[in-house]
């Protein structure tokens, strides 16, 4: 019997949009119909590729996909870096060819530590292909999403322009009721940096970064939070405060508005 939770991903404390793996994913919209190739590589070493056909969206298809990974069925092709991805809408990603409608998103993730980047190449009228997008350099309307299990203070950086912010993953309060992560928090990475400089999350609560500029996003643990410290028998546990901690953005469990 397989465990319900992948335990190897619970201690992941480093994330990189260039090589999405473990508890993070990159999604890219495709607006132009045509024939493409999805190519995976590790460093400069080519690994594998598959064909992708993008067809024009039917006139009766429902409107624009909402931002923040709120995709409807059939709009997402999940292309795992391991080659064992699954797709919605009856699309077969294990075969040589896969289909997607214009306006749909193609997403990339894989096993933790695989170190693979993905490129999207398009065929020209002359039959040649050129790279039109890569996980190594995100752009406008791309999405980077992750969830962090390990409590602590993290640094989130756009390595392209060196703009940075802070993520605080709080230590869960133990009680009679089981812990349940709140809805994802959404922030924007734009030309002037992140629209929110500090985000507070609960363990495994999602963070969705909507990209509006050239970007490569990294998230790294700066200071762990190991929970309450008990000085001795009969004493009340004390919460160690993270340095420089102040709550700026969070999401109420019963509301989609930041508070």
């Amino acid at each position: 019997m397989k465990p319900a939770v992948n335990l190897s991903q619970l201690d992941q404390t480093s994330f990189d949009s260039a090589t999405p793996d473990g508890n993070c994913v990159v999604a890219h919209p495709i607006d132009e119909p045509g024939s493409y190739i999805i190519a995976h590589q590790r460093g400069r070493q080519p690994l594998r590729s598959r064909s992708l056909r993008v067809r024009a969206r039917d006139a009766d298809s429902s409107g624009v996909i909402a931002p923040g990974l709120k995709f409807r069925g059939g709009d997402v092709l999940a292309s795992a870096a391991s080659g064992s991805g699954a797709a919605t809408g009856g699309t077969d990603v294990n075969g040589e060819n896969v289909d997607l409608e214009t306006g749909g998103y193609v997403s990339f993730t894989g096993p933790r530590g695989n170190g693979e980047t993905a490129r999207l190449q398009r065929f020209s009228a002359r039959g040649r292909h050129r790279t039109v997008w890569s996980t190594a350099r995100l752009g406008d309307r791309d999405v980077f999403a992750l969830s962090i299990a390990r409590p602590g203070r993290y640094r989130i950086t756009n390595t392209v322009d060196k703009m940075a912010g802070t993520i605080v993953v709080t230590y869960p309060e133990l009680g009679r009721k089981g812990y349940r992560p709140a809805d994802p928090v959404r922030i924007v990475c734009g030309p002037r940096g992140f629209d929110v400089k500090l985000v507070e999350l609960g363990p495994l609560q999602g963070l969705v970064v909507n990209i509006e500029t050239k970007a490569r996003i990294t998230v790294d643990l700066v200071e762990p939070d190991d929970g309450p410290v008990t000085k001795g028998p009969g004493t009340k546990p004390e919460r160690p405060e993270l340095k420089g901690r102040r709550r700026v953005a969070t999401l109420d469990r019963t509301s989609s508005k930041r508070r």
Side-chain angles (χ1 to χ4, degrees):
M1 181 176 180
K2 293 183 178 180
V5 178
N6 188 341
L7 300 179
S8 67
Q9 296 179 1
L10 292 182
D11 62 347
Q12 185 174 2
T13 57
S14 181
F15 307 82
D16 189 342
S17 63
T19 56
D21 65 350
N23 287 346
C24 68
V25 61
V26 165
H28 172 69
I30 304 180
D31 297 322
E32 296 293 330
S35 297
Y36 295 81
I37 290 178
I38 299 173
H40 294 273
Q41 63 185 63
R42 183 178 293 111
R44 295 184 178 181
Q45 178 185 4
L47 297 176
R48 64 191 169 278
S49 63
R50 59 166 62 96
S51 298
L52 168 66
R53 185 183 67 180
V54 179
R55 62 184 184 279
R57 183 180 291 272
D58 295 335
D60 60 350
S61 295
S62 58
V64 180
I65 302 171
L69 288 182
K70 286 189 175 181
F71 307 126
R72 65 181 180 82
D75 284 332
V76 181
L77 162 67
S79 175
S82 64
S84 59
T88 59
T91 306
D92 180 13
V93 300
N94 294 314
E96 292 297 325
N97 300 295
V98 289
D99 294 336
L100 190 69
E101 288 186 337
T102 54
Y105 280 71
V106 57
S107 65
F108 301 89
T109 188
R112 181 178 169 186
N114 68 353
E116 295 183 12
T117 60
R119 292 180 296 161
L120 187 65
Q121 300 174 324
R122 187 178 182 185
F123 282 100
S124 66
R126 297 182 179 181
R128 298 178 181 178
H129 57 270
R130 61 185 180 88
T131 298
V132 295
W133 178 84
S134 171
T135 57
R137 181 65 65 92
L138 305 185
D140 189 36
R141 295 175 57 216
D142 287 338
V143 177
F144 178 55
L146 68 153
S147 61
I148 308 173
R150 180 76 161 86
R153 180 164 58 91
Y154 292 76
R155 182 178 178 85
I156 180 171
T157 307
N158 180 359
T159 63
V160 174
D161 58 17
K162 308 303 180 183
M163 294 292 186
T166 299
I167 301 171
V168 172
V169 180
T170 59
Y171 197 90
E173 295 183 4
L174 302 180
R176 294 182 179 179
K177 295 183 178 180
Y179 171 75
R180 181 178 180 180
D183 292 335
V185 171
R186 294 175 176 84
I187 64 175
V188 174
C189 176
R192 297 184 179 181
F194 297 97
D195 66 332
V196 175
K197 301 302 180 183
L198 190 151
V199 181
E200 182 177 293
L201 303 172
L204 291 177
Q205 182 180 5
L207 176 65
V208 179
V209 184
N210 291 99
I211 309 298
E212 295 183 355
T213 187
K214 294 180 179 179
R216 175 178 176 177
I217 308 298
T218 60
V219 176
D220 296 287
L221 178 64
V222 175
E223 181 183 2
D225 180 357
D226 293 325
V229 178
T230 302
K231 294 183 178 181
T235 60
K236 185 178 180 180
E238 297 180 356
R239 273 297 311 276
E241 292 297 326
L242 297 174
K243 298 178 182 178
R245 175 180 174 182
R246 59 186 181 89
R247 185 167 63 184
V248 175
T250 183
L251 200 71
D252 189 274
R253 293 177 184 273
T254 59
S255 171
S256 59
K257 297 181 180 179
R258 288 175 183 161
R259 55 180 173 87

